[in-house]
Amino acid sequence: MRIGYLAGVILALSALSIYAQEADTLTNVSLSEIVVHETARHIRAKSTPLTVEVVNSASLRNHFTGNLIQSLKHLSGIQSMDIGSGFSKPMIRGLGFNRITVTENGIKQEGQQWGADHGLEIDAFHVEQVMVHKGPSSLLYGSDAMGGVIEINQLPPPPENLFFGEAILLGKSVNGTMGRSIMAGFRKDRWYTKIRFSEQHFGDYRVPTDTVIYLTQKMPISNRRLKNTAGYERDMNVYTEYRHYRYLSQYAVSNTYQKTGFFRGPMGFRMPAGWKMMVAAGI
């Protein structure tokens, strides 16, 4: 009799457990999409006091003005010290001249450090990638890099044998700039070579006034054009490299020629002798 009661209790408990399992079924829940935006470069930039920004060729083309530093001044902390009408000096967080370093293919370019009338002697059309190091980098690039480094590098060659080319046209209405650049290159097995020729011509700047004031003196502007600000620039670049397993050899030859004028007002406008002496004393 007791065995019968015990069997009945076991059957009742089994039925309850089966009912509970059927009632407690899983429900499908659809969650919204979660997208995580992060790269190793951004993580590394957050963990180091030295800020490094990489500007690719697409960004350079979107902000291209015919002048490399003016194309980079949209970056935070980068300023362009414009000299004359065709070239500029770079500045990083207010430091320039001998306080920053500019390298091209690993070679330091010191032309922009020489004087106030010397700009960056690099063909802006030939630049493919720029790494901007903001902050002291003297341990890696020398004592001139206490304010930062602008590092200009070449893009890696295409993975397959290829013949390629590029043609760029540039125009500006404010000074009648007409620029063009032609590039041709090839990748053949272990060799990678490209040649570029660039040229720019520009006239006197047009300004929306007939008079400017310099050192409290009024100077007339003939036909609303700043005289002696025209000029031209010609650049020739040849780059080649040889790769074989772990061996890499790079060769780069470039020639930059630029001729441009300065507005003669700040350089000595035709005014009374006393005003000229005041300007000379100020210099």
Side-chain angles (χ1 to χ4, degrees):
M1 190 69 178
R2 293 180 179 177
I3 296 176
Y5 283 121
L6 182 59
V9 172
I10 293 174
L11 291 175
L13 292 176
S14 301
L16 290 175
S17 62
I18 294 174
Y19 176 77
Q21 290 179 1
E22 292 179 354
D24 189 17
T25 56
L26 295 178
T27 303
N28 294 329
V29 179
S30 178
L31 300 177
S32 58
E33 182 181 3
I34 299 176
V35 180
V36 178
H37 296 277
E38 193 60 274
T39 61
R41 181 170 59 86
H42 291 159
I43 295 175
R44 187 169 58 252
K46 294 177 182 178
S47 61
T48 177
L50 181 62
T51 303
V52 181
E53 292 195 32
V54 180
V55 184
N56 55 25
S57 57
S59 179
L60 290 172
R61 292 292 182 265
N62 292 335
H63 299 88
F64 191 74
T65 62
N67 185 294
L68 175 60
I69 305 304
Q70 292 180 358
S71 302
L72 295 176
K73 66 180 182 180
H74 69 280
L75 300 175
S76 60
I78 308 300
Q79 296 85 32
S80 174
M81 184 188 300
D82 298 336
I83 307 167
S85 56
F87 51 96
S88 305
K89 284 181 178 293
M91 297 186 67
I92 301 178
R93 295 174 176 172
L95 298 178
F97 295 87
N98 292 333
R99 301 297 186 268
I100 66 173
T101 296
V102 179
T103 64
E104 183 182 16
N105 300 325
I107 302 175
K108 184 184 296 184
Q109 300 290 337
E110 299 179 348
Q112 52 90 23
Q113 299 179 353
W114 291 345
D117 55 344
H118 290 268
L120 195 60
E121 301 169 354
I122 292 178
D123 181 11
F125 292 98
H126 191 60
V127 177
E128 297 179 345
Q129 184 187 72
V130 180
M131 297 181 63
V132 181
H133 304 258
K134 304 177 186 177
S137 306
S138 298
L139 294 178
L140 297 176
Y141 297 92
S143 59
D144 293 345
M146 63 179 65
V149 178
I150 297 178
E151 185 179 355
I152 302 173
N153 300 316
Q154 299 289 333
L155 292 178
E160 300 177 352
N161 293 339
L162 182 68
F163 180 82
F164 56 91
E166 182 183 53
I168 302 176
L169 297 177
L170 174 68
K172 298 181 183 179
S173 60
V174 67
N175 62 346
T177 297
M178 293 296 296
R180 59 183 179 272
S181 179
I182 301 175
M183 184 269 289
F186 68 90
R187 163 72 188 275
K188 179 63 175 177
D189 299 332
R190 304 170 184 175
W191 289 96
Y192 171 60
T193 303
K194 55 184 176 181
I195 303 174
R196 180 181 293 274
F197 175 78
S198 304
E199 188 176 41
Q200 293 189 61
H201 292 264
F202 46 90
D204 294 332
Y205 266 91
R206 291 189 296 182
V207 294
T209 183
D210 295 325
T211 306
V212 297
I213 299 177
Y214 181 75
L215 294 179
T216 70
Q217 300 292 328
K218 291 184 177 181
M219 297 182 296
I221 302 297
S222 177
N223 298 325
R224 295 192 173 186
R225 284 186 176 271
L226 295 178
K227 298 300 181 182
N228 198 36
T229 57
Y232 62 91
E233 176 182 352
R234 292 192 182 97
D235 305 296
M236 184 72 179
N237 297 273
V238 179
Y239 176 82
T240 184
E241 66 179 45
Y242 177 83
R243 292 174 179 264
H244 183 60
Y245 296 105
R246 296 185 178 180
Y247 177 79
L248 172 62
S249 179
Q250 297 176 327
Y251 308 91
V253 179
S254 63
N255 179 55
T256 301
Y257 178 81
Q258 188 177 64
K259 182 177 181 180
T260 182
F262 289 90
F263 178 53
R264 63 178 182 174
M267 304 303 293
F269 196 75
R270 292 185 179 180
M271 284 290 178
W275 183 82
K276 284 186 178 181
M277 292 176 60
M278 180 179 64
V279 173
I283 296 175

